[in-house]
Amino acid sequence: MTNSATNLRLKLPMACIILEVIIIILFGILVQYDDETDAKLWHKEIANGSSNYDNDFYYRYPSFQDVHVMIFIGFGFLMTFLQRYGFSSVGFNFLIAAFALQWATLMQGFVHGMHGGKIHVGIESMINADFCTGSVLISFGAVLGKTSPVQLLVMSVIEVTLFAVNEFIVLSVLGAKDAGGSMTIHTFGAYFGLMVARVLYRPNLDKSKHKNCSVYHSDLFAMIGTIYLWMFWPSFNSAVTAHGDDQHRTAMNTYYSLAACTLATYGLSAVVAHDGKLDMVHIQNAALAGGVAVGTAGEMMLTPFGSMIVGFLAGTVSVLGYIDITDTNIQKLKIQDTCGVHNLHGMPGVLGAIVGAVTAALATKDVYGDGMADVFPDIHSGEVEASFQGVRQAISLVVTLGIALLGGLITGFILKLPIYGAPPDTICFEDGIYWELPGEEGSHEELTTVRTPDEAEKLNA
Amino acid sequence: MTNSATNLRLKLPMACIILEVIIIILFGILVQYDDETDAKLWHKEIANGSSNYDNDFYYRYPSFQDVHVMIFIGFGFLMTFLQRYGFSSVGFNFLIAAFALQWATLMQGFVHGMHGGKIHVGIESMINADFCTGSVLISFGAVLGKTSPVQLLVMSVIEVTLFAVNEFIVLSVLGAKDAGGSMTIHTFGAYFGLMVARVLYRPNLDKSKHKNCSVYHSDLFAMIGTIYLWMFWPSFNSAVTAHGDDQHRTAMNTYYSLAACTLATYGLSAVVAHDGKLDMVHIQNAALAGGVAVGTAGEMMLTPFGSMIVGFLAGTVSVLGYIDITDTNIQKLKIQDTCGVHNLHGMPGVLGAIVGAVTAALATKDVYGDGMADVFPDIHSGEVEASFQGVRQAISLVVTLGIALLGGLITGFILKLPIYGAPPDTICFEDGIYWELPGEEGSHEELTTVRTPDEAEKLNA
Amino acid sequence: MTNSATNLRLKLPMACIILEVIIIILFGILVQYDDETDAKLWHKEIANGSSNYDNDFYYRYPSFQDVHVMIFIGFGFLMTFLQRYGFSSVGFNFLIAAFALQWATLMQGFVHGMHGGKIHVGIESMINADFCTGSVLISFGAVLGKTSPVQLLVMSVIEVTLFAVNEFIVLSVLGAKDAGGSMTIHTFGAYFGLMVARVLYRPNLDKSKHKNCSVYHSDLFAMIGTIYLWMFWPSFNSAVTAHGDDQHRTAMNTYYSLAACTLATYGLSAVVAHDGKLDMVHIQNAALAGGVAVGTAGEMMLTPFGSMIVGFLAGTVSVLGYIDITDTNIQKLKIQDTCGVHNLHGMPGVLGAIVGAVTAALATKDVYGDGMADVFPDIHSGEVEASFQGVRQAISLVVTLGIALLGGLITGFILKLPIYGAPPDTICFEDGIYWELPGEEGSHEELTTVRTPDEAEKLNA
């Protein structure tokens, strides 16, 4: 099932070890504990009257762990729906996430500002690194089953770098708000990945078509991913917002958006699916669109009412997106989007950006009070009008789309080089090409042989 | 496998979308951010000397997320034990929980007091909504496999409403304590569900008998649910107790009760099960009874010693309950309790209510000190004697049982109307009736064909 | 498949119930709420100016729950890789963990100091009990599949007791630091378990060889365990360190160590595994070695750079350890280490102890500032030099190895008595010997029969 082209004995070790050695060297040169993780510096703050209980660890770490679960369990298991790609879904997700969070720490550190030539790390950099990783995993969803782990690592190197640049432009240069990353994470990751998938288009992918589908238990494993993403999305969107009402409100807005989105998803799934039945693809994916769509506006005074409307719309758009995925996408645009990231992250991300722009443009001192300083510091300080903040948000969406598409295009061509051990068209969506698979004969005998009643009784005797 | 009667193309979308639209409208009219989630109001408190770190988000949100995991992963996967009902177990659990938490926010808001005509929402309302949802999911366990999602949504509408009424009577009118919901959540949910199951009794359910059982992997999926419920039950019972020693003590009492319960469960399972072996049904369910049984008394000065005795008793009662579940329940009382919620939530819930009444009646100032004000404010203020608090608790149990049984009776008859697409007796416990199932031929070939050694070698080559 | 020797009808109930009754009696006599869980005592602190928000519950409980998940889901599911031992892996893990955490509370309470003849319990004792439980579960990994639950309970009784003694010697007598337990938990648990496995050596174990391997879905279940252990290890190592910078830094060091370890694991797995493919055994285990290896030094000023180097080395050592596991271990040393705990916990634990000793020896006031008081109180107070602290750490490793090996030896001989219902050589690694298994015929028909296209269509109709 493999041949020398897809043998990873040299390629993967070289990629992993060279990248890790580079990272370690750069960490040695550039990375330092921040004020809250350094023994000496923190105890200076203690000497100046701080309490250990003021350490930001206690106000961010629970959110961080929820985000961590979304990245490693959520994304990893969501992609196990394929019948024979569970090892790769969870395993490559694990690999590229472990890589990307290190690389992101460096890239975000470079771009967002060094402190005396050093990158300072603490709980916020850990959350931001996981966020960037999430974006890479979204792109992974678009090319799932058709790429080697070496390609994925190379993609991560480039995507993380461009993510950091785009995030810097959006948040620091343009002054937009995007705490939950409707634009910087979801829109960016989705369109980057879709463009990569476009460049890597395989006209003969239908040779692996029989493996590009789920089986009963693989769909249940995928539901583990879905439910974890759904539950912890409030933590994701609120993980880096300002402390106090901001985190509290963001979590709650996201919770309501997701709940409304779920009802829309079930309702519409029964409308559009075959024979009035529910389709697992919708439930696994579209029910999450509500979290994506309040990624920008969640920290604003969107109200529970507004959050539910946004969630309801996001679920609707997402389910409808899955209808013609095979036809339109593959045949017309030649984008083979394995997980349908356009429907889960792309369209809902754009929706979230627009909702954010509108909500920002409508911000008034009357509604936000002094809380304006946390949500829209530039409006609070009088530097900009609310309407202009809305314009900034809209421009940020355009910039994000531009960088994502252009970056994906270039990355796609780099990944097209025939040196990474990509699978041939005939064995896509198949773990056996990169993983030693457990023998199945033994298992077969144990698990599935029809036993005569006598044999069964003896077994249970 | 389906026919027009169970086709959901019209029924489910109508139910989901009409309910969600009603909810969104009511939220628009009635729901407001509370003081801790509203930007303006919170910053007024900041101006008055509060710190962002005082926001209740930081003292309740981790508990909320643990409860959230219990609701969506815990209950959802616990019910995947059925061999061909995993999509429905996780999927309908997801649907009705997403609905119920919204509806509960409204109903609990109405009943527990509006603020100037508005319902205020924040982390406490989120936890309380999840609690109410838990009650609905317990009832779901009793009717699992025999109801359509439309029936379940209708059941949720009524049950949530009655839950809020009962909760108001027990906590506010009668002044009982029930932080972890032995009465309001477990007893209520169980007896409501059992009565619904009684009314929906199917004399010919044995036509689906061969599907009403587990297979090897479905039992493992169910263990995911069990273990999450077990681990996070301390968070559940302590999620809304007073801050400080109360939350701390409640979590610890629950932890000890569960540990003792688990030992009792394993011990007794080997006694009562076939051939001195362990029975997964006991492990999956009875080991959790210790959490149910300290739902009322967990916040009191029950002591670790007392908690363990209660847990041990709960495990014992629960395992013994499973012995005659098929015989007694089905044949005599005509209650087909799919998940055995009577053994996991019903009896342990009643036990918990009794333990709570006794523990309350024994409360003394000597033991509680000034902490009495948090646990039993009315005893602290001298309004009632401890013994009378015990009586209040006992009356609350009776009221809860009454409302649950009556409510379940009425709900059962409403659900009996032949308009909801309920499954026929011959295809209960079967996902295929409401879900598009993945093709199995491909999977069969991949996963289970006996391979010759040659073929297997080639695959791994 | 069973006979009277392995029938647990009397043995398991006796073990469970006698042990639980002893525990409950001892708790009744000896255990009291501590100052933070007792209503009266805590409210005295409140009266003296404390705030409810100062209760340690809020600063330890989220970490505790993460550790709890590692113990019950992490260890439990990690061991489900065996094709027919999933019930036992999760189920016996559940049983012995629920027992061990109670027993550990007593043993650690005895050894670490009573308060007026009483053991005080609160969130720290809960975390420490879970830690001790972790050690027992590591040993369980070495004997997995070859022991009855009664043997495992007896092993737990002894191991927990010796763990508490060793922990006392290392932390209190020798004054070593080991917050994440590289020595006290991992090294101790691994070498204790390996010695037990040595004494219980079965020359004819190859009779069960065909069951001592994984199947596709069992490997996916195991990945649930792996990923949870990986994600929450930062919480494990930081759960009982000092508040403030210590917890923050420990979590972050662990996070970086694990990330680097994962890259090393993937890289090396492709080098050493068959045909340049990845081996699930490496991914499931070696990727975690980075957490073990910073268990001692994680709270020190190891720097992210240092943490990554340690993680990288740990992953390397661990993968290499798995190469010759079958050959060397079984044939030469006669240790049948089912889960390879030597590679995951043994060698990385020793590495972690050495790293801890070196890092401690290099501690300077210049780097730690006043934070020295938290990390190395004896160096801070001038009682010892840093170099001597390093020596203490090294001695602690030797002591730990000695107690573990000797304890394991004695325990092994006790477990060898033919009274515990151990499985015969021919039916090791098989759930059916201790568990009622679900019937498989029904399932077979449902799940795996090749359907004709006509039948399949009818099913989905």
Side-chain angles (χ1 to χ4, degrees):
Chain A
M1 186 175 279
T2 51
N3 53 40
S4 63
T6 62
N7 186 311
L8 299 175
R9 169 121 38 218
L10 282 180
K11 290 163 186 163
L12 186 61
M14 275 178 54
C16 286
I17 290 167
I18 291 175
L19 287 172
E20 189 59 44
V21 168
I22 292 173
I23 286 172
I24 291 177
I25 292 170
L26 290 174
F27 263 73
I29 299 170
L30 291 168
V31 173
Q32 272 185 349
Y33 291 126
D34 70 6
D35 289 7
E36 308 215 334
T37 44
D38 185 275
K40 190 176 188 176
L41 298 177
W42 178 252
H43 280 264
K44 277 191 188 159
E45 301 207 11
I46 295 283
N48 291 330
S50 283
S51 154
N52 274 322
Y53 295 157
D54 296 335
N55 195 294
D56 211 23
F57 179 77
Y58 303 107
Y59 305 94
R60 299 260 184 232
Y61 187 72
S63 305
F64 162 72
Q65 276 297 3
D66 290 351
V67 172
H68 222 40
V69 172
M70 292 174 72
I71 296 296
F72 288 88
I73 288 282
F75 281 104
F77 277 87
L78 183 61
M79 296 190 275
T80 58
F81 71 96
L82 291 171
Q83 56 176 302
R84 285 299 269 185
Y85 210 62
F87 287 16
S88 304
S89 297
V90 174
F92 295 163
N93 188 85
F94 188 19
L95 170 63
I96 62 180
F99 165 72
L101 65 86
Q102 298 176 74
W103 191 245
T105 305
L106 292 169
M107 293 302 117
Q108 292 177 320
F110 285 136
V111 170
H112 293 299
M114 318 265 286
H115 305 260
K118 297 287 182 178
I119 294 166
H120 283 189
V121 291
I123 189 66
E124 275 205 58
S125 75
M126 291 163 71
I127 296 172
N128 281 319
D130 267 30
F131 277 3
C132 178
T133 299
S135 196
V136 176
L137 298 178
I138 291 165
S139 303
F140 176 34
V143 298
L144 186 76
K146 301 165 296 184
T147 37
S148 82
V150 181
Q151 277 178 303
L152 295 171
L153 285 170
V154 172
M155 183 179 85
S156 304
V157 171
I158 309 172
E159 184 169 0
V160 164
T161 310
L162 292 176
F163 175 98
V165 170
N166 180 62
E167 190 185 38
F168 175 72
I169 295 173
V170 167
L171 303 185
S172 303
V173 177
L174 292 171
K177 297 290 284 190
D178 194 22
S182 290
M183 296 182 283
T184 54
I185 301 169
H186 299 285
T187 303
F188 183 85
Y191 289 96
F192 186 99
L194 290 167
M195 189 53 101
V196 171
R198 174 65 192 81
V199 179
L200 298 181
Y201 176 67
R202 292 167 180 257
N204 300 314
L205 189 61
D206 54 358
K207 289 183 183 168
S208 294
K209 197 181 177 182
H210 61 294
K211 284 175 188 159
N212 187 7
C213 56
S214 64
V215 291
Y216 193 73
H217 279 122
S218 72
D219 267 327
L220 268 184
F221 277 111
M223 279 304 283
I224 297 176
T226 297
I227 300 283
Y228 270 102
L229 288 168
W230 195 92
M231 294 187 300
F232 289 165
W233 217 295
S235 304
F236 189 95
N237 284 348
S238 66
V240 294
T241 56
H243 288 309
D245 61 298
D246 300 70
Q247 273 196 289
H248 200 158
R249 183 173 59 248
T250 310
M252 193 166 66
N253 285 340
T254 307
Y255 161 91
Y256 286 127
S257 176
L258 285 162
C261 179
T262 302
L263 273 278
T265 299
Y266 274 83
L268 278 164
S269 182
V271 173
V272 305
H274 191 245
D275 257 324
K277 296 182 180 184
L278 292 162
D279 187 338
M280 260 293 165
V281 171
H282 302 151
I283 309 309
Q284 284 163 1
N285 293 280
L288 300 168
V292 175
V294 295
T296 301
E299 67 176 319
M300 304 175 191
M301 289 289 286
L302 184 59
T303 76
F305 172 64
S307 304
M308 286 169 155
I309 292 174
V310 174
F312 194 88
L313 288 176
T316 304
V317 165
S318 190
V319 171
L320 297 179
Y322 277 99
I323 297 180
D324 59 351
I325 180 170
T326 31
D327 307 328
T328 312
N329 283 353
I330 293 189
Q331 287 166 17
K332 294 192 192 148
L333 295 174
K334 297 187 175 175
I335 298 172
Q336 293 153 331
D337 176 6
T338 311
C339 295
V341 302
H342 188 239
N343 309 309
L344 169 49
H345 300 278
M347 291 188 293
V350 171
L351 173 63
I354 295 168
V355 170
V358 173
T359 313
L362 297 175
T364 63
K365 186 83 187 169
D366 190 48
V367 168
Y368 287 79
D370 289 342
M372 186 72 91
D374 287 339
V375 185
F376 297 113
D378 292 349
I379 303 180
H380 184 73
S381 69
E383 193 185 316
V384 302
E385 294 290 307
S387 56
F388 186 67
Q389 182 69 29
V391 173
R392 284 174 162 189
Q393 301 286 137
I395 294 172
S396 295
L397 172 62
V398 176
V399 169
T400 299
L401 283 168
I403 294 179
L405 291 170
L406 189 64
L409 185 73
I410 296 165
T411 307
F413 281 107
I414 293 172
L415 297 186
K416 226 176 170 170
L417 299 174
I419 58 174
Y420 306 109
D425 291 347
T426 47
I427 7 182
C428 287
F429 314 113
E430 166 60 51
D431 277 333
I433 197 166
Y434 298 123
W435 295 86
E436 288 194 43
L437 292 183
E440 317 225 14
E441 311 90 88
S443 76
H444 177 87
E445 198 183 328
E446 283 307 306
L447 291 169
T448 63
T449 310
V450 181
R451 292 210 171 76
T452 63
D454 276 9
E455 287 174 326
E457 201 168 295
K458 202 171 139 199
L459 182 74
N460 272 324
Chain B
M1 185 174 277
T2 50
N3 53 39
S4 61
T6 62
N7 187 310
L8 299 175
R9 170 121 38 218
L10 282 179
K11 290 163 185 162
L12 185 61
M14 274 178 54
C16 287
I17 291 168
I18 291 175
L19 287 172
E20 189 59 44
V21 168
I22 292 172
I23 286 172
I24 292 178
I25 293 171
L26 290 174
F27 264 72
I29 299 171
L30 291 168
V31 173
Q32 272 184 348
Y33 291 126
D34 70 7
D35 287 7
E36 308 213 335
T37 43
D38 185 276
K40 190 176 187 176
L41 297 177
W42 178 252
H43 279 264
K44 277 190 189 159
E45 301 207 11
I46 295 283
N48 291 330
S50 284
S51 154
N52 274 322
Y53 295 156
D54 296 335
N55 195 293
D56 211 24
F57 180 77
Y58 302 107
Y59 305 93
R60 300 259 183 232
Y61 187 72
S63 305
F64 162 73
Q65 276 297 2
D66 290 351
V67 172
H68 221 40
V69 172
M70 294 175 70
I71 296 296
F72 288 88
I73 288 283
F75 281 103
F77 277 87
L78 182 61
M79 297 189 274
T80 58
F81 70 97
L82 291 170
Q83 57 175 299
R84 284 300 268 186
Y85 210 63
F87 286 16
S88 304
S89 296
V90 174
F92 295 163
N93 187 85
F94 187 20
L95 170 63
I96 62 180
F99 165 72
L101 66 85
Q102 298 177 73
W103 190 246
T105 304
L106 292 169
M107 293 303 116
Q108 293 176 318
F110 285 137
V111 170
H112 293 299
M114 318 265 285
H115 305 260
K118 297 288 182 177
I119 294 166
H120 283 190
V121 291
I123 189 67
E124 276 206 58
S125 74
M126 290 163 72
I127 296 172
N128 281 318
D130 267 29
F131 277 3
C132 177
T133 299
S135 197
V136 175
L137 298 177
I138 291 166
S139 304
F140 175 35
V143 299
L144 187 76
K146 302 166 296 185
T147 37
S148 81
V150 180
Q151 278 178 303
L152 295 170
L153 284 171
V154 172
M155 183 180 86
S156 304
V157 171
I158 309 172
E159 183 168 1
V160 164
T161 310
L162 292 176
F163 176 98
V165 170
N166 180 61
E167 190 184 38
F168 175 73
I169 295 173
V170 167
L171 303 185
S172 303
V173 178
L174 292 171
K177 297 289 287 191
D178 194 23
S182 290
M183 297 184 281
T184 53
I185 301 168
H186 299 286
T187 303
F188 183 85
Y191 289 97
F192 185 98
L194 290 167
M195 189 53 101
V196 171
R198 174 66 191 80
V199 178
L200 297 182
Y201 176 67
R202 291 167 179 257
N204 299 314
L205 188 61
D206 55 358
K207 288 183 182 168
S208 294
K209 198 181 177 182
H210 61 293
K211 284 174 189 159
N212 186 8
C213 56
S214 64
V215 290
Y216 193 73
H217 279 122
S218 71
D219 268 327
L220 268 184
F221 277 111
M223 280 303 284
I224 297 176
T226 297
I227 300 283
Y228 270 102
L229 288 168
W230 195 93
M231 293 186 302
F232 288 164
W233 217 295
S235 304
F236 189 96
N237 284 349
S238 66
V240 293
T241 56
H243 287 309
D245 61 299
D246 300 69
Q247 274 196 288
H248 200 157
R249 182 172 59 247
T250 309
M252 193 167 66
N253 285 340
T254 307
Y255 162 90
Y256 286 127
S257 175
L258 285 162
C261 179
T262 302
L263 272 280
T265 299
Y266 275 83
L268 278 163
S269 182
V271 173
V272 305
H274 191 245
D275 258 323
K277 296 183 179 182
L278 292 162
D279 186 338
M280 260 293 164
V281 172
H282 302 150
I283 309 309
Q284 284 163 1
N285 293 282
L288 300 168
V292 175
V294 295
T296 302
E299 67 176 319
M300 304 175 190
M301 288 291 286
L302 184 60
T303 77
F305 173 64
S307 304
M308 285 169 153
I309 291 175
V310 174
F312 194 89
L313 288 176
T316 305
V317 165
S318 190
V319 172
L320 297 179
Y322 278 98
I323 298 180
D324 58 353
I325 181 170
T326 32
D327 307 330
T328 312
N329 283 353
I330 291 189
Q331 287 166 17
K332 294 195 192 146
L333 294 175
K334 297 188 175 175
I335 298 171
Q336 292 153 331
D337 176 6
T338 311
C339 294
V341 302
H342 189 238
N343 309 308
L344 170 48
H345 300 279
M347 291 188 293
V350 171
L351 173 64
I354 296 168
V355 170
V358 172
T359 312
L362 298 174
T364 62
K365 186 82 188 172
D366 191 48
V367 169
Y368 288 78
D370 290 340
M372 187 71 90
D374 287 339
V375 186
F376 298 114
D378 293 347
I379 303 180
H380 185 72
S381 70
E383 194 186 319
V384 302
E385 294 290 309
S387 56
F388 187 68
Q389 181 69 30
V391 173
R392 283 174 164 190
Q393 301 284 139
I395 294 172
S396 295
L397 173 61
V398 175
V399 169
T400 299
L401 283 168
I403 294 179
L405 290 170
L406 189 63
L409 186 72
I410 296 165
T411 307
F413 281 108
I414 294 171
L415 297 186
K416 226 175 169 172
L417 299 175
I419 58 174
Y420 306 109
D425 291 347
T426 47
I427 6 183
C428 285
F429 313 113
E430 167 60 50
D431 277 334
I433 198 167
Y434 298 124
W435 295 87
E436 287 193 43
L437 292 183
E440 317 225 13
E441 311 91 87
S443 76
H444 177 86
E445 198 183 328
E446 284 307 304
L447 291 170
T448 63
T449 309
V450 182
R451 292 209 172 76
T452 63
D454 276 9
E455 287 174 326
E457 201 166 296
K458 203 172 139 200
L459 182 74
N460 271 325
Chain C
M1 185 175 279
T2 52
N3 54 39
S4 61
T6 60
N7 186 311
L8 298 176
R9 172 130 25 226
L10 283 179
K11 291 163 185 163
L12 185 61
M14 275 178 54
C16 287
I17 290 167
I18 291 174
L19 287 172
E20 188 59 43
V21 168
I22 291 172
I23 286 172
I24 291 178
I25 292 170
L26 290 174
F27 263 72
I29 299 170
L30 291 167
V31 173
Q32 274 184 347
Y33 291 126
D34 70 6
D35 288 6
E36 308 214 336
T37 44
D38 185 276
K40 191 177 186 175
L41 298 177
W42 178 252
H43 279 265
K44 277 189 189 159
E45 301 208 12
I46 295 282
N48 291 329
S50 282
S51 154
N52 274 322
Y53 295 156
D54 296 335
N55 197 292
D56 211 22
F57 179 77
Y58 303 106
Y59 305 94
R60 299 261 184 229
Y61 187 73
S63 305
F64 162 73
Q65 275 297 2
D66 290 351
V67 172
H68 221 40
V69 172
M70 292 174 73
I71 296 296
F72 288 88
I73 288 283
F75 281 104
F77 277 87
L78 183 61
M79 297 189 275
T80 57
F81 71 96
L82 290 170
Q83 56 176 303
R84 284 300 268 186
Y85 209 62
F87 287 15
S88 304
S89 296
V90 174
F92 295 163
N93 188 84
F94 188 19
L95 170 63
I96 62 181
F99 165 72
L101 66 86
Q102 299 177 72
W103 191 244
T105 304
L106 292 168
M107 293 302 116
Q108 292 176 318
F110 284 136
V111 170
H112 293 299
M114 318 266 285
H115 305 261
K118 298 287 183 178
I119 294 166
H120 283 189
V121 291
I123 189 67
E124 275 205 58
S125 73
M126 290 163 71
I127 296 172
N128 281 318
D130 267 29
F131 277 2
C132 177
T133 299
S135 197
V136 176
L137 298 178
I138 291 166
S139 303
F140 175 36
V143 298
L144 186 77
K146 302 166 293 184
T147 37
S148 81
V150 181
Q151 279 178 302
L152 294 171
L153 284 170
V154 172
M155 183 180 87
S156 304
V157 171
I158 309 172
E159 183 168 1
V160 164
T161 311
L162 293 175
F163 176 97
V165 170
N166 180 61
E167 190 185 38
F168 176 72
I169 295 173
V170 167
L171 302 186
S172 302
V173 177
L174 292 171
K177 297 290 285 189
D178 194 23
S182 290
M183 296 182 282
T184 54
I185 301 169
H186 298 286
T187 304
F188 184 85
Y191 288 97
F192 186 98
L194 290 166
M195 190 51 102
V196 171
R198 175 63 191 84
V199 179
L200 297 181
Y201 177 67
R202 291 164 179 260
N204 299 315
L205 188 61
D206 54 357
K207 289 182 182 168
S208 295
K209 197 181 176 183
H210 60 295
K211 284 173 189 160
N212 187 6
C213 57
S214 64
V215 291
Y216 193 74
H217 279 122
S218 71
D219 267 327
L220 267 184
F221 277 111
M223 280 303 283
I224 296 176
T226 297
I227 300 283
Y228 270 102
L229 288 168
W230 195 93
M231 292 187 301
F232 288 165
W233 217 295
S235 303
F236 189 95
N237 284 348
S238 67
V240 293
T241 56
H243 288 309
D245 62 299
D246 300 70
Q247 275 196 288
H248 201 158
R249 182 172 59 247
T250 310
M252 194 166 66
N253 285 340
T254 307
Y255 161 91
Y256 285 128
S257 176
L258 285 163
C261 179
T262 302
L263 272 279
T265 298
Y266 274 83
L268 278 163
S269 182
V271 173
V272 305
H274 190 246
D275 257 325
K277 296 182 181 184
L278 292 161
D279 187 339
M280 260 293 166
V281 172
H282 302 151
I283 308 308
Q284 283 162 2
N285 293 280
L288 301 168
V292 175
V294 296
T296 302
E299 68 176 318
M300 304 174 190
M301 289 289 286
L302 184 59
T303 75
F305 173 64
S307 305
M308 285 169 155
I309 292 174
V310 175
F312 193 89
L313 288 176
T316 305
V317 166
S318 190
V319 171
L320 297 178
Y322 277 99
I323 297 179
D324 59 352
I325 180 170
T326 33
D327 306 329
T328 312
N329 283 352
I330 291 189
Q331 287 167 18
K332 294 196 191 147
L333 294 174
K334 298 188 176 174
I335 298 171
Q336 293 154 329
D337 176 7
T338 311
C339 294
V341 302
H342 188 239
N343 309 309
L344 170 48
H345 301 278
M347 292 188 294
V350 171
L351 173 63
I354 295 168
V355 170
V358 172
T359 313
L362 297 174
T364 63
K365 186 82 188 171
D366 190 47
V367 169
Y368 287 79
D370 291 340
M372 186 71 92
D374 287 339
V375 185
F376 298 114
D378 293 348
I379 303 181
H380 185 73
S381 69
E383 194 185 316
V384 301
E385 294 290 309
S387 57
F388 187 68
Q389 181 69 30
V391 174
R392 285 173 164 190
Q393 301 284 139
I395 295 172
S396 295
L397 172 61
V398 176
V399 169
T400 298
L401 283 168
I403 294 179
L405 290 169
L406 189 64
L409 187 73
I410 296 165
T411 307
F413 282 106
I414 293 172
L415 298 185
K416 226 176 169 171
L417 298 175
I419 59 173
Y420 306 109
D425 291 347
T426 47
I427 6 183
C428 287
F429 314 113
E430 167 60 51
D431 278 333
I433 197 167
Y434 298 123
W435 295 86
E436 288 194 43
L437 292 183
E440 318 226 12
E441 312 91 87
S443 78
H444 177 86
E445 197 183 330
E446 285 306 306
L447 292 169
T448 62
T449 310
V450 181
R451 292 209 172 77
T452 63
D454 275 9
E455 287 174 326
E457 200 167 295
K458 202 171 139 201
L459 182 74
N460 271 324

